[in-house]
Amino acid sequence: MIKTLKKLIFMIGLGYKQIQIFKRTYFHPFISLKHGYTQLSKDRQSYSNNVLEHLNIEIELIGEVPSKDKILYAINHRSLLDIIVMEHIFSKHNKNGTWIAKQELFDAFYGDFFRYSGCISVDLENRKGLLKFFKEIKKTLLKIDDFNIYIFPEGERNKTADVLEFQSGAQKIAKANKLDVVPVFINDTLESVFRNAPYKEKKVVQVHMGDIIEHQSLEEDYLNFVKNAKGEK
């Protein structure tokens, strides 16, 4: 109980300080869209690296992060720690991009973290909101040549060992903006990993990075990729 409380105090304190850092860029009156997203990406990565260091978690990357940009990364989702793990990987490869997040996350008590860190919200229940969302994505990709999009195609945190049915958002974004899709599989249940942290000895989490797949068969190709990552036939 004390271990969990200390961890939460650390996370909340670090997160609050990080929001203030995000705001310096978010509200900067003269910064360009490109430089703004670049700085916010670096700030998210710095925060994520600090969290993983505190929790004593190490990431083992299996596969390669593409050198090119304008990629949609499709990632399985089991914990809020998934974002932190991925930001750590992107920090090692100088990647700039944004997370697609449901509007409800922006409305939660920690919503300012998402709002000011450069994430883009989507309201799936609002048609006008969807149109605005797709326009924002297209505008950003046109103005920033090294931009990438990070998305959880399952649409929600998955508490099972399987992959949930994909929502249509990832495929639509990739098709509308002619983006290559790279599948990512975090081969651990990060909810329990976080619950048991910090670790006395280094905890290694494996992340599998696949080759480019077609958006037309996104879910099928992703499931095949996961089977291969798990060594299943």
Side-chain angles (χ1 to χ4, degrees):
M1 181 67 179
I2 294 176
K3 181 180 178 181
T4 301
L5 184 60
K6 286 183 177 179
K7 181 168 53 185
L8 288 173
I9 291 173
F10 169 80
M11 294 285 289
I12 291 171
L14 187 63
Y16 178 77
K17 290 178 182 177
Q18 195 64 45
I19 290 171
Q20 309 315 308
I21 294 173
F22 291 149
K23 283 183 174 180
R24 293 174 198 164
T25 299
Y26 189 90
F27 289 113
H28 196 291
F30 305 117
I31 199 166
S32 69
L33 193 66
K34 177 181 173 66
H35 287 103
Y37 268 112
T38 298
Q39 186 59 52
L40 289 173
S41 293
K42 290 183 182 300
D43 290 340
R44 291 196 312 266
Q45 292 163 7
S46 175
Y47 167 80
S48 300
N49 291 337
N50 286 334
V51 170
L52 292 181
E53 182 179 357
H54 177 77
L55 300 179
N56 202 21
I57 294 173
E58 180 179 312
I59 311 304
E60 179 186 359
L61 179 62
I62 300 172
E64 297 183 358
V65 177
S67 57
K68 66 179 294 188
D69 292 301
K70 294 199 172 181
I71 297 279
L72 186 146
Y73 290 86
I75 309 157
N76 66 314
H77 191 27
R78 292 175 179 164
S79 163
L80 281 175
L81 203 59
D82 298 335
I83 294 177
I84 290 172
V85 164
M86 293 308 304
E87 288 287 11
H88 169 77
I89 292 172
F90 295 136
S91 76
K92 300 296 183 182
H93 296 83
N94 197 31
K95 291 298 178 183
N96 167 33
T98 189
W99 290 89
I100 306 302
K102 289 183 177 180
Q103 181 60 44
E104 61 195 57
L105 290 177
F106 289 72
D107 298 332
F109 76 94
Y110 47 76
D112 281 356
F113 191 96
F114 289 93
R115 182 174 295 105
Y116 298 123
S117 67
C119 297
I120 296 179
S121 67
V122 56
D123 186 351
L124 299 173
E125 306 301 323
N126 186 321
R127 188 172 181 277
K128 287 184 178 180
L130 281 173
L131 290 173
K132 180 182 177 183
F133 165 77
F134 276 99
K135 285 181 180 179
E136 183 174 1
I137 292 289
K138 186 173 287 293
K139 178 191 75 172
T140 305
L141 285 164
L142 286 172
K143 291 191 174 183
I144 308 178
D145 55 5
D146 61 347
F147 199 67
N148 299 283
I149 293 177
Y150 318 133
I151 193 169
F152 299 124
E154 293 167 288
E156 59 185 353
R157 271 191 269 179
N158 182 1
K159 297 181 180 180
T160 75
D162 301 317
V163 176
L164 299 178
E165 181 179 352
F166 281 11
Q167 296 187 0
S168 61
Q171 186 177 35
K172 288 179 178 178
I173 293 169
K175 180 180 179 181
N177 297 284
K178 299 179 180 178
L179 301 178
D180 288 328
V181 180
V182 168
V184 180
F185 177 63
I186 301 172
N187 193 18
D188 215 323
T189 308
L190 295 187
E191 201 70 49
S192 62
V193 169
F194 177 73
R195 190 162 53 246
N196 294 314
Y199 295 89
K200 290 183 179 180
E201 297 183 3
K202 191 74 72 175
K203 167 66 177 176
V204 178
V205 171
Q206 287 187 338
V207 177
H208 295 260
M209 186 80 61
D211 297 326
I212 290 171
I213 60 177
E214 298 294 328
H215 66 78
Q216 295 93 333
S217 54
L218 174 58
E219 186 169 4
E220 180 183 354
D221 289 349
Y222 184 90
L223 290 173
N224 288 332
F225 158 72
V226 171
K227 285 181 181 179
N228 290 331
K230 289 182 173 181
E232 299 175 355
K233 294 183 179 179

